[in-house]
Amino acid sequence: MSTLFTPTKVGELLLKHRVVGAPMTRLRSEPNDAPSDMMAEWYGQRASEGGLQIAESSSVSAAGRAYLGAPGLYADEQIAGWKKVTDAVHAKGGYLIAQVYDPGRVGHVDNNGGVAPAGPSVLPFDNHVVTVDGLVDGTPDRAYETAEIPGVVELFRQAAVRAREAGFDGIELHGANGYLVDQFLQDGTNQRTDEYGGPLENRARFVLETLNALISVWGSQRVGLRVSPSGEWGDISDSDPEGTFGYLAEQLNPLQLAYLHVIEPRIKGDDWLHEGQEPVASAFLRKTFTGPIIAAGGFDREGADGILDRGEADLVAFGRWFASNPDLPVRLQKGLPLAAYDRQYFWGGTERGYTDYPVYGG
């Protein structure tokens, strides 16, 4: 039997297979950033008995909204919408993890109530966001004052409380793709000289403080972290990615997280960056991180089997193929053909290219 379809445990969750629904920003929330009924249907369609999905990233602040149409967990009025989503997943025996983030310097004043995006340092870059005018250039950011940072961490903790109230099964900190947590960690975006900048132990301070805030609400066995070593989304970079992410992995071990979710650098956002490249990031972090690893980025059935059989990961997350195949675990297990995805419907829209993909034979 393929390892992909054997049971495993992730924190306190006992899973019946290792096919994970990756977080995918689809921009179909309500105007108040609460999940829509359409979103509840989408997640429910992709739920499976004992299967795990990770929800699309939710902002922890009204002043941190990079993409119009993306959901939030920054207001109590958003809880009811998420409860519809978690209920739909649980009705089919599945599990759903919330993912929380702040985009940091990636943003636009039109999305943030006139407030400038904020990150660890002011560094101009090629920044594109989604506003009422479509995909546009972002607006200049500012650097957080040291005294402001505990308040940002508190926003993550408050979002974690809302995620519990909404019925999620755990929470993931989005520390990847060049957003705020990633910006603090990597030296290409962190030029600070206070206790949050400079040496590795300082640059890792924000991610560790934020993880501990989530753990204070959920307990460590219901908390995960997503990272993207050597990733390029969001114009992110580091002078020594192996040193940086190796150090972070060492610091994570005492926390006993539910998992570490790793994006392979061959993928940039929703497309290939280095097609044909073998996975490397999960294998590197496996040398240090002692908990379960979820590998993501460019996997098919053969690639998923390979990384599991080599012991470099414990689960594999699928994004684009889950978008067009609501019954993806069944199709992979039985060797059924996969429905092609249509990129024009990835980022916003109606039910078309979203909830209208049928199960096999449907």
Side-chain angles (χ1 to χ4, degrees):
M1 178 184 292
S2 166
T3 305
L4 196 57
F5 299 99
T6 58
T8 191
K9 195 173 184 183
V10 175
E12 296 176 351
L13 304 180
L14 182 60
L15 308 181
K16 293 189 175 182
H17 61 79
R18 301 169 188 239
V19 179
V20 177
M24 292 177 277
T25 296
R26 302 302 303 274
L27 306 184
R28 285 170 169 86
S29 65
E30 299 290 355
N32 67 350
D33 295 345
S36 62
D37 290 346
M38 185 169 35
M39 289 172 59
E41 181 181 2
W42 190 87
Y43 283 101
Q45 289 175 341
R46 283 150 186 78
S48 61
E49 182 71 28
L52 177 64
Q53 294 181 81
I54 302 169
E56 60 205 270
S57 55
S58 297
S59 176
V60 301
S61 167
R65 301 164 71 238
Y67 307 104
L68 188 70
L73 270 167
Y74 60 82
D76 290 346
E77 63 186 15
Q78 294 153 353
I79 295 173
W82 279 119
K83 187 66 167 61
K84 292 180 181 179
V85 175
T86 59
D87 284 348
V89 172
H90 294 156
K92 292 177 68 173
Y95 298 108
L96 187 64
I97 301 289
Q99 187 193 75
V100 287
Y101 92 127
D102 185 306
R105 65 178 186 157
V106 181
H108 197 286
V109 293
D110 288 352
N111 287 348
N112 301 344
V115 177
S121 306
V122 177
L123 293 169
F125 74 116
D126 186 16
N127 172 13
H128 295 94
V129 297
V130 178
T131 72
V132 292
D133 297 317
L135 189 64
V136 301
D137 292 340
T139 47
D141 63 319
R142 69 176 185 89
Y144 278 116
E145 299 291 339
T146 305
E148 293 180 279
I149 295 176
V152 179
V153 174
E154 172 62 13
L155 291 173
F156 280 91
R157 190 198 67 81
Q158 292 172 6
V161 172
R162 295 187 186 97
R164 284 199 68 128
E165 294 176 4
F168 282 98
D169 298 293
I171 194 162
E172 175 180 288
L173 177 61
H174 194 348
N177 289 350
Y179 297 127
L180 184 65
V181 172
D182 209 12
Q183 292 162 26
F184 268 97
L185 180 64
Q186 300 204 51
D187 63 14
T189 46
N190 187 337
Q191 304 295 311
R192 302 178 71 90
T193 57
D194 62 359
E195 59 263 42
Y196 290 93
L200 257 175
E201 57 267 26
N202 285 0
R203 287 186 279 119
R205 189 185 306 276
F206 182 76
V207 59
L208 296 174
E209 288 182 351
T210 307
L211 281 170
N212 278 306
L214 302 185
I215 290 170
S216 73
V217 177
W218 280 92
S220 63
Q221 289 290 283
R222 297 274 181 163
V223 175
L225 171 66
R226 195 178 209 209
V227 295
S228 53
S230 299
E232 297 183 31
W233 184 270
D235 198 22
I236 196 76
S237 65
D238 192 88
S239 61
D240 180 15
E242 287 198 357
T244 294
F245 286 91
Y247 173 84
L248 177 62
E250 291 176 353
Q251 304 310 304
L252 295 178
N253 285 331
L255 299 182
Q256 297 185 311
L257 299 179
Y259 63 83
L260 180 62
H261 186 180
V262 182
I263 305 174
E264 291 293 334
R266 62 189 180 183
I267 291 292
K268 183 178 181 180
D270 60 5
D271 206 355
W272 285 98
L273 187 61
H274 305 291
E275 190 164 3
Q277 182 187 80
E278 292 298 312
V280 293
S282 299
F284 168 71
L285 290 172
R286 172 61 90 194
K287 298 174 184 177
T288 305
F289 184 69
T290 57
I293 289 178
I294 302 174
F299 286 96
D300 55 14
R301 167 65 189 270
E302 182 180 0
D305 282 334
I307 199 168
L308 295 180
D309 291 344
R310 293 192 301 272
E312 296 168 357
D314 303 279
L315 306 96
V316 178
F318 296 82
R320 291 167 291 176
W321 289 121
F322 238 129
S324 54
N325 296 273
D327 54 343
L328 183 63
V330 172
R331 296 199 193 206
L332 293 177
Q333 185 173 26
K334 296 183 176 180
L336 299 172
L338 299 182
Y341 46 81
D342 192 334
R343 292 183 180 279
Q344 67 177 310
Y345 302 116
F346 277 3
W347 297 79
T350 64
E351 291 84 357
R352 187 170 183 182
Y354 187 60
T355 56
D356 59 351
Y357 287 105
V359 298
Y360 187 79

